[in-house]
Amino acid sequence: MLGLLAARQAGLDDPARLRRAERTRRVLSLELNKDRDVERIHGSGINTLDIEPVEGRYMLSGGSDGVIVLYDLENLSREPSYTCKALFSVGRSHPDVHRFSVETVQWYPHDTGMFTSSSFDKTLKIWDTNTLQPADIFHFEEIVYSHHMSPVATKHCLIAVGTKSPKVQLCDLKSGSSSHILQGHRQEVLAVSWSPRHEYVLATGSADGRVKLWDVRRASGCLSTLDQHNGEKSKASSEAANTAHNGRVNGLCYTSDGLHLLTIGTDDRMRLWNSSTGENTLVNYGKVCNESRKGLKFAISYACNPEFAFVPYRSTIAVYTVFTGELITMLRGHYSTVNCCVFQPHFQ
């Protein structure tokens, strides 16, 4: 550390290198925080978390009881031991509460005045943070597994939605319509994720074992279907051709630069793909236990060297290096199944 500081001071080193080294050191020394807790509001399982990307201060959680809670992660008291307080919640008594399990919550990427939630009650709700009233509600014919807004889009306001139907729905915040549909999957769509690099590129994972990349401006839609065998048909039977996993694909996560896509399936495998060529990079993560019947929310670190993937693994969180597949550590502390995790990029 002193060497890095001296080199930076002398102008011999890139300032970002010190930041990367310190972030990486912090991730490698992660352990359960004995001084910090989060106020317990949910009476049942928590399915989804999201930290707003502007300040990294406010966190949303969605539970299987339909409740949504907003927490302030900032320690304003400066006391060494503290509990992150819940600022407010959309509880069971709220007139617009979700009737069934909340599967995904996400902040509007550009400010904290708005957030979105989707649920097994077949709705996607757009919330005004200040009034806690829905500004808009999209209704679907099937239960909703996952939704995502692009973190980089400037020319569109589309929310991608994965439901029990094989069609991927696109909801337009500007017009309030959900007319746009992407067709190509054969079974329910469990995970959707916009590229953090190209605002029109969307990745979707389905129970049919396929991961598709789409350009939403194209009429045909699908750019490519990821193939775990990289097109070597001789090794794969025709049935297994063009599948990303030999089971349901229930998790997707781009690396922060958008150059790679990490997918996870119920075949207990995790795969890393080159997002521009669609090639399987063949990184071996070993057996990645995945018993989730719905979407699995995992996270990738930001601006570390190397980058790390945090994957819920029964009652622990497995930490892998993204590009070598090495299992670094298991984070223990929960007593039951972990459903989701989220990475705080500002404080690791």
Side-chain angles (χ1 to χ4, degrees), residues 3 18-19 32-33 61 63 129 145 163 185 200 209 238 245 258 260-261 263 286 298 308:
L18 174 63
R19 281 203 299 273
L32 190 62
N33 196 328
S61 65
T129 312
Y145 285 110
T163 69
H185 284 296
Y200 292 105
S238 58
H245 288 269
H260 292 85
L261 176 69
T263 65
F298 64 103
F308 303 94

Side-chain angles (χ1 to χ4, degrees), residues 32-240:
L32 190 62
N33 196 328
K34 309 248 186 329
D35 303 316
R36 201 169 160 179
D37 204 0
V38 179
E39 190 179 348
R40 184 170 174 178
I41 303 289
H42 290 281
S44 58
I46 296 169
N47 296 325
T48 171
L49 297 169
D50 192 39
I51 297 174
E52 49 89 10
V54 183
E55 294 176 82
R57 175 174 172 181
Y58 300 106
M59 180 173 75
L60 289 166
S61 65
S64 50
D65 50 2
V67 172
I68 298 168
V69 184
L70 188 148
Y71 298 96
D72 185 352
L73 302 178
E74 187 90 15
N75 178 12
L76 296 172
S77 71
R78 300 284 175 243
E79 296 288 325
S81 298
Y82 74 105
T83 299
C84 299
K85 286 277 177 264
L87 296 181
F88 58 70
S89 65
V90 181
R92 295 308 312 162
S93 58
H94 192 286
D96 296 299
V97 68
H98 282 289
R99 294 204 317 281
F100 304 127
S101 170
V102 175
E103 291 301 302
T104 312
V105 290
Q106 189 192 359
W107 286 102
Y108 181 60
H110 307 296
D111 71 57
T112 56
M114 186 168 89
F115 66 89
T116 55
S117 63
S118 59
S119 162
F120 277 1
D121 66 7
K122 306 180 184 177
T123 63
L124 165 69
K125 296 187 179 183
I126 318 299
W127 297 87
D128 181 323
T129 312
N130 301 310
T131 63
L132 273 199
Q133 300 299 319
D136 207 349
I137 301 178
F138 294 91
H139 295 272
F140 302 95
E141 291 170 13
E142 309 278 359
I143 64 173
V144 181
Y145 285 110
S146 171
H147 78 269
H148 193 233
M149 268 182 290
S150 170
V152 294
T154 54
K155 299 186 179 72
H156 72 74
C157 287
L158 296 173
I159 303 178
V161 182
T163 69
K164 208 171 169 73
S165 149
K167 296 171 184 168
V168 181
Q169 311 263 355
L170 296 178
C171 300
D172 192 340
L173 278 183
K174 281 183 184 160
S175 67
S177 76
S178 56
S179 53
H180 206 106
I181 287 170
L182 304 176
Q183 300 197 40
H185 284 296
R186 297 176 189 177
Q187 292 179 48
E188 57 203 44
V189 178
L190 298 169
V192 293
S193 182
W194 291 96
S195 163
R197 195 175 186 85
H198 304 290
E199 64 176 298
Y200 292 105
V201 174
L202 174 72
T204 59
S206 165
D208 61 11
R210 288 175 169 79
V211 173
K212 289 182 178 287
L213 299 179
W214 315 78
D215 183 330
V216 296
R217 294 168 300 183
R218 286 170 48 152
S220 60
C222 190
L223 286 173
S224 62
T225 302
L226 302 184
D227 178 14
Q228 59 183 312
H229 304 287
N230 286 336
E232 293 184 31
K233 291 282 190 289
S234 56
K235 290 182 184 173
S237 68
S238 58
E239 183 58 37

Side-chain angles (χ1 to χ4, degrees), residues 193 203-204 211-213 226 252-255 258-263 271-275 300:
S193 182
T204 59
V211 173
K212 289 182 178 287
L213 299 179
L226 302 184
L252 298 171
C253 194
Y254 275 97
T255 54
L259 294 175
H260 292 85
L261 176 69
L262 202 54
T263 65
R271 295 202 165 93
L272 183 70
W273 310 83
N274 180 317
S275 59
I300 294 180

